[in-house]
Amino acid sequence: MKGKKLLSAIVALVLCLSLSFSLVACNNLDNGGDGSSSSQNGSNNASSSVEDNSSSSNEGSSSSSNEEVSSSSEKIEITSVAKKDSFVLFENNKQEKINKETEFYDRDNAYQVGDGGLFNFKPSVSFIKRLSPVLFLPANPETWNYVVTLYVKNGGNFVKVEDADLESYVEEIDNVNCTIDFKEGAVGQTFKIEVYPEGLTADQLQDIATYTVTIEFEVISAYNVYNALELAYIQKRVSGYGDAKTYLNDSLITAWDNFFTEKGLDKNLMGSSVVLHGDISVTPSDIPSEYFYQEEDVSSTDGDYGIVIGSLLDYETIYYRYLENNEQFLFEGNYFTVKADQIPCVVRPHNKVVALDATKTSHSQLFMFQKAAETTGEFVKMQNVNFVGNAPKVENLQKSGGLIMNKSVADCEFYNNLSNGWFVNYFPELNQGTYTVNKCKAYDSFSSLLYVWGSKNVVIKDSEIIGAGGPAMIVDHVNPTNGASSYPSNVTVTDSEIHSYVTGQEGWFVINGGATIVGQIKAMNAAFTPFGKTYLYNKAGDTENTYLDFIALYKSGSAEGITTELISGNLSMNGALNPMDFGTYQEDWDGTGRTTQLSGLLDAATAAGAPAFVSSNGGASIFNGSYLSYEGTTQITNPSDPVFSGDLLYLYYSRMGIVFGYGNVGATISE
Amino acid sequence: MKKSVILLILVVYIASLCIVGFFGIKLRIYDEVVKVEKIECVTQSESIIKTEGNPDLAFLFNDGIEYYAGYFYSEGLSVTLAFSVYPDNATNKNIEFIADASTQYSLRDNGDNSITITFNQKASIVLIVRAEDSNNAQTKIRIDAV
């Protein structure tokens, strides 16, 4: 009998274990590549038909009578002359688009050229070689001469640049490689170049306009960048500054130094402003290998061994720029694209070994702008760029290790940019100046589109920020209980659309354990619908889910999850009558202690553990578990109460503030 | 243990496997956007238009970097090239055709990811074909009509 019982117990145990293993196997463990792209893009700077390796140089407009003849006496013919690919793309990128998410707000900027390094304007010339009367092939002569004429804009008209003016503007013009090296004296001027290839036939010369490329541009103080390797010139890394949390790994300073030597980059150019002349794709081969875990860095017994090799280190910055007093940094995109989708994600959060299926939060970024606390007068501007990252809003939880697009401690403005597919797009960090996002469009992030970490004055204007896996913005009060080292965050939004329509089951909620709370929040919506208001939406074509428009989450930065620490911070959104404001503080940490009419209500609500709802029109209520009330007991029954109006609804719960889009019952979303 | 208990355990076990296998351990709802990764010219040489009275020597090949097509020019020569985008489940499969403006040719986007190029004279065109979504996938083709 005992033996039978023992056998039954063993059978039951085996069944339970095998069921457990099958449940684990059903987990989504897609650890595939981080968005590898096999697209061909215009970052290849060679023209479509000519590659030159000679380097003769002449100043000013020039011509010579070279004509390339093949060794087999087949004559090379010129069939067409067009603008270089990058200029064609520049003009196209500025146009109105069918897909508005890829259309820049400001499409009126002229082409910018730097006075640092060469400006390459070689046209795209189509050559053919006739092998017989009935056979021809494309030709690629090694060298070819061009006739180049330079004009400068003077009083509204373009005037040919010659003699003394040429000397003041130009270091050198190369009429074979079609490059020009501008001097500092050219900065601020507008120029025009006309260029055509030599060797045109008499008939073609009769129609010279068809074979002449004309481009206009403005010269600025910046280095001309054509590929990802040259992006390294924006860096300035200062040894010995701060600790690991300032994202300055001294070993990477050495790594970059060696990388510059290995790749033949000029160390004297570090710390430059830059201007792009084509699409750029940053790949692992464009940065030191020290950024990625190698075989020798890990052990085969590590829980994440299967996926860690080749992954990105956490808490690292790829392009780090330290700014001094009054230093100005410009990143001019010329409407081109910077892609980082081939950079691997972080697998080891905090660079600690984790289990294979562990979730994580990335702390690594593509750009970081840092300064010392006492530095003043610095300014960073990134403009006219399309940024594509490696962590779009997808089901693959490994994308939680994706890149943050940029962090900045320094005063900065991001103007007229597009950004897609980042773990976080914009990240002001302990920024006590002003962090401005102006005329930008940001979409499709795995986590949030804006993460504000202890930053005093974040301004978003004339922008569109839509579509995160979690809230559109997460706003932290850093060290809320630490007096002089306490950094609340404040955000001002003007004339902008900020939305994140989520069901609560996205990867961000899975990782941060928010699914249960979302369920509770959704349930409370029933207190509003009898009055014709809602913060839940239906989506066209989706009959199964309801969506929250999760605009902002305000919380303490002391933990990545929920805390009960009293925090401060506010959100003023599109001129709302009643901005969200956490009100009174126990200590006047910043010397400007604020109070709001609702501070007593908030303290009462949060102390009791009851959620408080406040509308952007000024109405306030406490949800007592059954209905909305004024103070916890007296039910709000008047449908005209201001709590039932406004475009935004603020939920204060457990010392956090959540901002939702607020609409009328029956509202649907189409996104 | 009674046989009925063992039977019950087996039934629960098998049912659990079926349910978990069907629904998965976590149900996640996404409006995931699948971006275009690659664009490819799918027009074959055999389908290239041949103009009567002219040598029918026309060819289309991929040199591993970009596509190239060559034709002998005749007045009114038109070339139609079709493109496919990958992956098949890309959310937005529309593409745009980008080229330097010229009097040597005219372009007509046929709206079905194909383009018709009409040459007004002997000329070449370098055409960039790019996806409309934000991933910036693109390819390039040069067509000579000479």
Side-chain angles (χ1 to χ4, degrees):
Chain A
M1 187 63 89
K2 282 187 182 177
K4 281 189 180 177
K5 282 186 181 176
L6 181 62
L7 181 62
S8 301
I10 291 171
V11 168
L13 179 63
V14 167
L15 290 176
C16 287
L17 286 173
S18 62
L19 181 60
S20 298
F21 281 127
S22 70
L23 293 177
V24 171
C26 286
N27 260 315
N28 187 346
L29 290 176
D30 181 12
N31 299 324
D34 299 323
S36 65
S37 166
S38 59
S39 65
Q40 299 157 17
N41 61 59
S43 66
N44 179 354
N45 205 37
S47 69
S48 60
S49 55
V50 180
E51 289 183 50
D52 295 313
N53 55 19
S54 74
S55 58
S56 66
S57 63
N58 295 298
E59 290 195 13
S61 64
S62 61
S63 66
S64 62
S65 56
N66 284 338
E67 190 168 277
E68 189 72 19
V69 177
S70 70
S71 60
S72 60
S73 76
E74 297 127 347
K75 190 177 164 92
I76 288 184
E77 300 173 21
I78 295 169
T79 57
S80 289
V81 180
K83 288 194 180 83
K84 187 176 171 184
D85 286 355
S86 55
F87 296 126
V88 176
L89 284 173
F90 165 79
E91 289 173 357
N92 177 274
N93 292 343
K94 287 174 61 172
Q95 290 176 10
E96 210 171 318
K97 298 292 184 184
I98 296 173
N99 179 2
K100 292 300 180 185
E101 293 187 4
T102 61
E103 180 182 298
F104 288 91
Y105 275 122
D106 183 352
R107 302 192 299 277
D108 296 329
N109 296 299
Y111 198 86
Q112 307 289 303
V113 171
D115 67 335
L118 301 177
F119 169 48
N120 187 319
F121 54 88
K122 183 185 280 187
S124 174
V125 179
S126 299
F127 297 91
I128 63 162
K129 187 188 299 182
R130 288 198 187 273
L131 303 177
S132 76
V134 296
L135 190 62
F136 66 89
L137 283 174
N140 285 303
E142 284 189 2
T143 63
W144 203 267
N145 280 326
Y146 295 81
V147 177
V148 179
T149 310
L150 180 67
Y151 302 83
V152 65
K153 199 164 194 177
N154 189 346
N157 297 312
F158 280 103
V159 176
K160 187 173 176 180
V161 177
E162 293 176 302
D163 307 320
D165 283 339
L166 191 66
E167 181 115 2
S168 68
Y169 294 141
V170 173
E171 194 72 50
E172 182 181 13
I173 295 179
D174 183 335
N175 71 315
V176 174
N177 295 306
C178 288
T179 60
I180 187 167
D181 187 356
F182 282 104
K183 290 181 175 177
E184 193 176 340
V187 173
Q189 301 293 331
T190 299
F191 293 90
K192 179 174 75 171
I193 285 180
E194 291 178 346
V195 55
Y196 63 88
E198 295 186 3
L200 295 173
T201 64
D203 284 345
Q204 289 173 329
L205 286 169
Q206 291 278 326
D207 185 20
I208 190 65
T210 298
Y211 300 92
T212 300
V213 161
T214 302
I215 51 174
E216 295 180 20
F217 52 90
E218 298 173 352
V219 177
I220 60 173
S221 178
Y223 185 85
N224 297 307
V225 167
Y226 296 88
N227 54 60
L229 282 178
E230 291 176 331
L231 267 188
Y233 290 141
I234 74 174
Q235 298 187 94
K236 190 193 299 182
R237 293 177 177 254
V238 179
S239 179
Y241 175 76
D243 57 22
K245 288 234 169 175
T246 63
Y247 312 108
L248 191 63
N249 182 339
D250 277 359
S251 69
L252 286 177
I253 294 178
T254 305
W256 273 108
D257 196 67
N258 294 337
F259 186 79
F260 264 61
T261 304
E262 176 193 331
K263 300 293 182 181
L265 297 170
D266 185 349
K267 295 174 191 175
N268 294 320
L269 291 174
M270 290 186 89
S272 298
S273 288
V274 296
V275 53
L276 304 187
H277 293 289
D279 294 335
I280 286 178
S281 182
V282 182
T283 66
S285 63
D286 297 312
I287 62 178
S289 60
E290 284 84 345
Y291 275 94
F292 308 103
Y293 280 95
Q294 311 295 327
E295 179 74 50
E296 56 268 24
D297 300 323
V298 304
S299 165
S300 58
T301 59
D302 291 340
D304 56 9
Y305 179 73
I307 57 173
V308 68
I309 294 174
S311 67
L312 185 68
L313 266 64
D314 198 13
Y315 280 103
E316 292 299 350
T317 296
I318 292 177
Y319 300 115
Y320 182 101
R321 175 61 171 261
Y322 179 79
L323 291 107
E324 322 251 9
N325 281 328
N326 301 311
E327 184 173 343
Q328 314 287 303
F329 169 71
L330 173 66
F331 189 109
E332 168 62 57
N334 269 336
Y335 300 95
F336 291 118
T337 295
V338 174
K339 285 184 86 168
D341 64 334
Q342 294 185 57
I343 298 293
C345 291
V346 169
V347 166
R348 288 189 172 174
H350 305 273
N351 295 313
K352 306 285 185 205
V353 178
V354 294
L356 200 61
D357 60 346
T359 57
K360 59 195 69 76
T361 300
S362 170
H363 307 88
S364 288
Q365 49 279 331
L366 185 65
F367 301 104
M368 172 73 173
F369 303 108
Q370 181 65 280
K371 65 160 195 173
E374 61 273 16
T375 297
T376 59
E378 85 291 347
F379 194 70
V380 171
K381 190 161 189 178
M382 300 187 94
Q383 60 184 22
N384 306 319
V385 193
N386 174 31
F387 293 104
V388 179
N390 65 353
K393 177 180 153 183
V394 293
E395 195 170 312
N396 178 5
L397 295 183
Q398 293 300 326
K399 293 301 184 182
S400 61
L403 277 170
I404 297 164
M405 187 172 84
N406 76 72
K407 283 188 178 179
S408 183
V409 177
D411 259 31
C412 56
E413 181 181 11
F414 303 95
Y415 176 78
N416 199 41
N417 299 317
L418 309 173
S419 56
N420 282 273
W422 298 90
F423 179 67
V424 173
N425 298 43
Y426 295 101
F427 198 127
E429 178 172 276
L430 298 175
N431 191 315
Q432 303 308 296
T434 302
Y435 183 108
T436 303
V437 177
N438 182 11
K439 283 190 163 53
C440 292
K441 295 181 179 181
Y443 309 101
D444 195 24
S445 77
F446 184 92
S447 173
S448 62
L449 295 153
L450 175 71
Y451 199 118
V452 183
W453 177 260
S455 295
K456 194 174 179 181
N457 186 21
V458 176
V459 176
I460 302 170
K461 57 181 181 179
D462 299 322
S463 297
E464 186 170 278
I465 296 180
I466 297 176
M473 63 174 95
I474 299 174
V475 184
D476 281 355
H477 183 161
V478 175
N479 300 329
T481 59
N482 193 357
S485 296
S486 170
Y487 300 101
S489 293
N490 307 296
V491 180
T492 302
V493 177
T494 306
D495 295 325
S496 299
E497 293 291 328
I498 301 184
H499 303 285
S500 183
Y501 298 106
V502 294
T503 64
Q505 297 182 68
E506 288 80 359
W508 184 88
F509 293 92
V510 172
I511 289 168
N512 294 287
T516 304
I517 292 181
V518 167
Q520 295 171 347
I521 290 173
K522 283 186 172 183
M524 290 190 286
N525 186 63
F528 292 86
T529 52
F531 300 95
K533 297 295 287 187
T534 182
Y535 53 82
L536 292 183
Y537 300 89
N538 294 314
K539 186 175 180 180
D542 183 352
T543 57
E544 294 181 9
N545 299 292
T546 54
Y547 290 76
L548 291 162
D549 184 8
F550 197 173
I551 294 173
L553 168 65
Y554 274 64
K555 64 181 186 64
S556 166
S558 63
E560 290 180 356
I562 297 170
T563 74
T564 56
E565 293 170 338
L566 184 64
I567 68 170
S568 65
N570 63 55
L571 171 64
S572 173
M573 190 139 168
N574 291 328
L577 191 65
N578 182 40
M580 191 195 79
D581 193 327
F582 273 87
T584 310
Y585 317 103
Q586 294 179 348
E587 297 179 42
D588 190 9
W589 292 314
D590 61 358
T592 57
R594 296 191 298 277
T595 62
T596 70
Q597 293 177 326
L598 304 173
S599 58
L601 170 70
L602 297 181
D603 280 342
T606 52
F613 287 95
V614 178
S615 77
S616 56
N617 270 6
S621 64
I622 294 176
F623 182 71
N624 64 5
S626 298
Y627 50 79
L628 295 171
S629 65
Y630 290 107
E631 78 295 59
T633 306
T634 309
Q635 186 174 7
I636 300 175
T637 57
N638 183 0
S640 298
D641 190 284
V643 77
F644 299 122
S645 64
D647 297 324
L648 303 169
L649 189 66
Y650 316 137
L651 165 61
Y652 295 91
Y653 181 68
S654 189
R655 307 286 192 200
M656 294 188 300
I658 303 173
V659 180
F660 297 123
Y662 195 32
N664 297 324
V665 170
T668 59
I669 57 174
S670 56
E671 177 215 328
Chain B
M1 187 180 289
K2 291 184 178 176
K3 287 183 184 177
S4 59
V5 173
I6 297 173
L7 198 62
L8 182 63
I9 291 172
L10 279 172
V11 167
V12 169
Y13 171 66
I14 293 169
S16 300
L17 282 177
C18 294
I19 291 168
V20 171
F22 186 75
F23 288 108
I25 183 98
K26 292 180 178 116
L27 189 61
R28 300 192 190 98
I29 311 299
Y30 265 117
D31 55 350
E32 183 173 327
V33 175
V34 181
K35 301 286 175 72
V36 172
E37 300 283 350
K38 181 180 172 184
I39 301 170
E40 201 167 74
C41 182
V42 296
T43 301
Q44 301 299 315
S45 292
E46 301 80 51
S47 64
I48 290 173
I49 296 169
K50 296 179 176 57
T51 306
E52 191 174 317
N54 283 282
D56 61 358
L57 196 65
F59 43 96
L60 176 67
F61 65 83
N62 176 1
D63 66 1
I65 299 175
E66 59 190 45
Y67 294 95
Y68 172 75
Y71 303 85
F72 282 94
Y73 175 74
S74 59
E75 192 172 339
L77 173 67
S78 280
V79 175
T80 297
L81 298 169
F83 295 83
S84 285
V85 300
Y86 302 95
D88 287 334
N89 64 335
T91 303
N92 179 355
K93 301 180 81 170
N94 294 329
I95 54 179
E96 58 177 339
F97 301 98
I98 304 166
D100 195 13
S102 174
T103 55
Q104 296 180 311
Y105 49 75
S106 61
L107 306 176
R108 186 182 77 236
D109 184 342
N110 299 314
D112 57 356
N113 286 357
S114 73
I115 187 165
T116 299
I117 306 154
T118 301
F119 289 92
N120 305 322
Q121 63 184 86
K122 292 182 183 181
S124 302
I125 175 175
V126 173
L127 185 69
I128 299 169
V129 186
R130 185 168 69 180
E132 274 187 10
D133 68 18
S134 58
N135 202 33
N136 215 44
Q138 54 190 266
T139 190
K140 192 159 69 176
I141 183 166
R142 170 178 153 176
I143 305 105
D144 292 337
V146 296

